Amino acid sequence: MSEMFIAKGDFPAIIERLMSRYRVYAPVKNGRYYDFAALKEAGAADLGFKNTRVSPKGVLYPQAERMFEYSLAKDDPEVNIVKETPKDFSPQVILGIRPCDAKGFKLDDANFCSDKFKDPWWAQRREATTLIGLACNTPSSTCFCTTVNTGPFDTTGLDAMLVDTGDGYALQVLTEKGKNVLGIVDLKPAPAQVAGKIEELKAGAEKSIPTAFDPAAIAQKETLEIFNAPFWDEIHFGCLNCGTCTFLCPTCWCFDIQDEVQEGTKGDRLRLWDSCMFSLFTFHGSGHNPRSQKVQRVRQRFMHKLKYYQDKYGTGTACVGCGRCVQACPVNIDIRQVGRILGSGCSCPA
Amino acid sequence: MNNPYLPYPVRIDSVITETEDRNLKTFKFIFLNPEDEEKFKYTAGQFAMLSVAGQGEIPIGIASSPTEKGFIKFTVNKVGRVTTFMHNMKAGDIMGVRGPCGNWYPWDILEGKNLVIIGGGFAFTTLRSSIVYMLNPENRSKYGKIDVVYGARHPGLLLYRDELAAWEARDDINMHITVDGTTDPNWKYNVGFVPAITKQKAPSAENSYAIICGPPVMIKFTLPVLTELGFPPERIISSLEMRMKCGIGICGRCNLGTEYVCKDGPVFTLEKLSKLPNEY
Ligand SMILES: Cc1cc2nc3c(=O)[nH]c(=O)nc-3n(C[C@H](O)[C@H](O)[C@H](O)COP(=O)(O)OP(=O)(O)OC[C@H]3O[C@@H](n4cnc5c(N)ncnc54)[C@H](O)[C@@H]3O)c2cc1C
Ligand code: SF4
Ligand code: SF4
Ligand code: FES
């Protein structure tokens, strides 16, 4: 679709214009890190980031969300009846989302909305959200998006994409949704040389990312062969089961459901991010636990990301190569190395 | 948008203590909104999420049969937070039911076949549903011989004792009730573990399917007996238990490899299970 241009000086005014109509999430500096936050002022948006610490999944799927509410008051005629909680699904924009994270939402869609069941909250927020991405000119050393079927300029998950060309942003509008949202701002067509500049930036960025492993080789392996392989002993050894990797991951969607009671007479049913790294995740009331060992939990995480999801949907791994888990793991467990081991069946140093 | 997490409100119609140790109670529910009963159309072998406001939700096998109208029944073992709370609830109290969840025993494939039903302990709930369903006059002719081996540690721990006695008296179902041991001099049935009784009664594998639900040790020692009797893995069916939350394949916690036990199960053939990671 059409290519437009926003001079850097005009950018705050454009964000403000979007904010007049939409709730706008953008990367905001928070201490040493960046996080996606709903903007209160346009100036807080800071696109000078590599990527945010936590993925933007929380915008569509909050870490803690009230599902339902109910009254426990004995004299309430509706006592104990679980009811829908009012929610705000008004239109919103995620500005500056990276291509990998946007692709992650597409992978999450397969889980939240199957042919049989639709998660109503995910589906409605997803529908209400327009993704205006930012291409990665300078990927981090931990990025491996090109290994897993996306890339620094991949537009598949986006409604529009910005490319920082130095003095401004080139803007590609990619979908109807993107067109509608950006229709409210005044945009100038991109000068002729911008297209060439984008190609150059894209080629440079892609070249800077080495291939980390071969997802197709993992897809071809027998599930039980990798599941039962001895190399898990080595892979899991240092893991603390802290869960950091799963919380930061754009495609970790697992949640717990908990009831919480206030003042004794009112309560909520909540859903809360959970993680297969925790032993309670699979713990039966009887005391039996099918994944009581740390090695089983670590295996579940990597098998899910790199093997089960590939087998279930046939659309590649459930990993988009953002590298957050590689950066944040306190004991340096590296999914790229695990991918190499799974693909080659050997834990010899690559 | 239809919300698959929202329970239907139900009223507890009755609570029956099933076993002498008082650990198992059967709850009969009536839907507060009669139209919800139609929406909750289920098949024998499925389970539901029982919801107690302020406590949480638990997956429980549906013990009533689709042929029983006007109510649904569940038998709940007292284990932890939600089950213990439920054991202190009484007729008239309001709670919720969500579902039905999961798959069911493959009734279409089972038509025209003989059935060997093997149950142990309190996993007998969906087997009761199945037996009541098959014995219904409209359905009985669709199935061949029915053999039931059902065991408990002692007579006081058997579920649905009145019904067991009634089935014993019928000639269109062969009941093999057994207990691990008893001091009751009037005990009329078998004494011995389920695998041993299965071996002794030796139901034919000819044109037969086996459905087996119970504690892991029982399953472990009964499977070789079934194999010896000639049941191939694709004709041995079992129902699995996993910790569950959503019950609809979204929250991610009950997977065996690619399969979510809550949505793609809980009913699997042994042959299917042999291809999945052994994490149950
Ligand atoms: C398909 C299926 C059918 C079942 N049918 C029956 C039945 O007919 N009768 C019966 O008594 N029990 C049945 N169970 C087991 C029953 O779900 C657990 O005993 C129950 O969830 C324990 O809940 P709690 O709150 O008392 O225990 P807690 O230990 O306090 O558990 C806290 C939470 O963990 C989860 N949880 C704990 N244990 C299990 C478990 N074994 N399975 C699933 N989720 C669990 C639940 O969400 C529960 O609320 C079934 C389980 C499954 C998966
Ligand atoms: S971040 Fe590292 S140590 Fe923590 S659970 Fe993940 S792999 Fe294990
Ligand atoms: S890796 Fe673990 S926490 Fe992440 S989606 Fe898979 S099962 Fe859930
Ligand atoms: S209980 Fe949520 S996926 Fe099975």
Side-chain angles (χ1 to χ4, degrees), chain A residues 238-246 277 298 301-302 325 328-333:
Chain A
C239 177
L240 312 170
N241 272 174
C242 65
T244 301
C245 45
T246 60
M277 289 292 121
V298 172
R301 171 168 168 249
F302 290 117
C325 59
C329 176
V331 299
N332 294 324
I333 292 177

Side-chain angles (χ1 to χ4, degrees), chain A residues 70-81 83 265-266:
Chain A
Y70 42 80
S71 159
L72 297 171
K74 292 263 181 302
D75 54 351
D76 190 326
E78 307 225 280
V79 61
N80 289 344
I81 296 186
K83 288 187 230 162
T265 57
K266 275 200 328 232

Side-chain angles (χ1 to χ4, degrees), chain A residues 218 222-239 277 293-308 333-335 337-339 341-343 345-347, chain B residues 277 279:
Chain A
I218 302 174
E222 285 291 333
T223 299
L224 292 185
E225 183 196 325
I226 346 184
F227 183 87
N228 292 316
F231 50 62
W232 294 110
D233 272 343
E234 212 163 306
I235 292 171
H236 94 283
F237 184 73
C239 177
M277 289 292 121
Q293 312 280 315
K294 189 175 69 172
V295 60
Q296 297 169 312
R297 302 194 281 274
V298 172
R299 176 172 59 188
Q300 160 64 17
R301 171 168 168 249
F302 290 117
M303 286 296 276
H304 186 211
K305 294 285 148 196
L306 303 178
K307 178 65 178 157
Y308 301 152
I333 292 177
D334 188 331
I335 191 169
Q337 173 67 1
V338 177
I341 295 173
L342 296 198
C346 153
S347 57
Chain B
E279 266 184 333

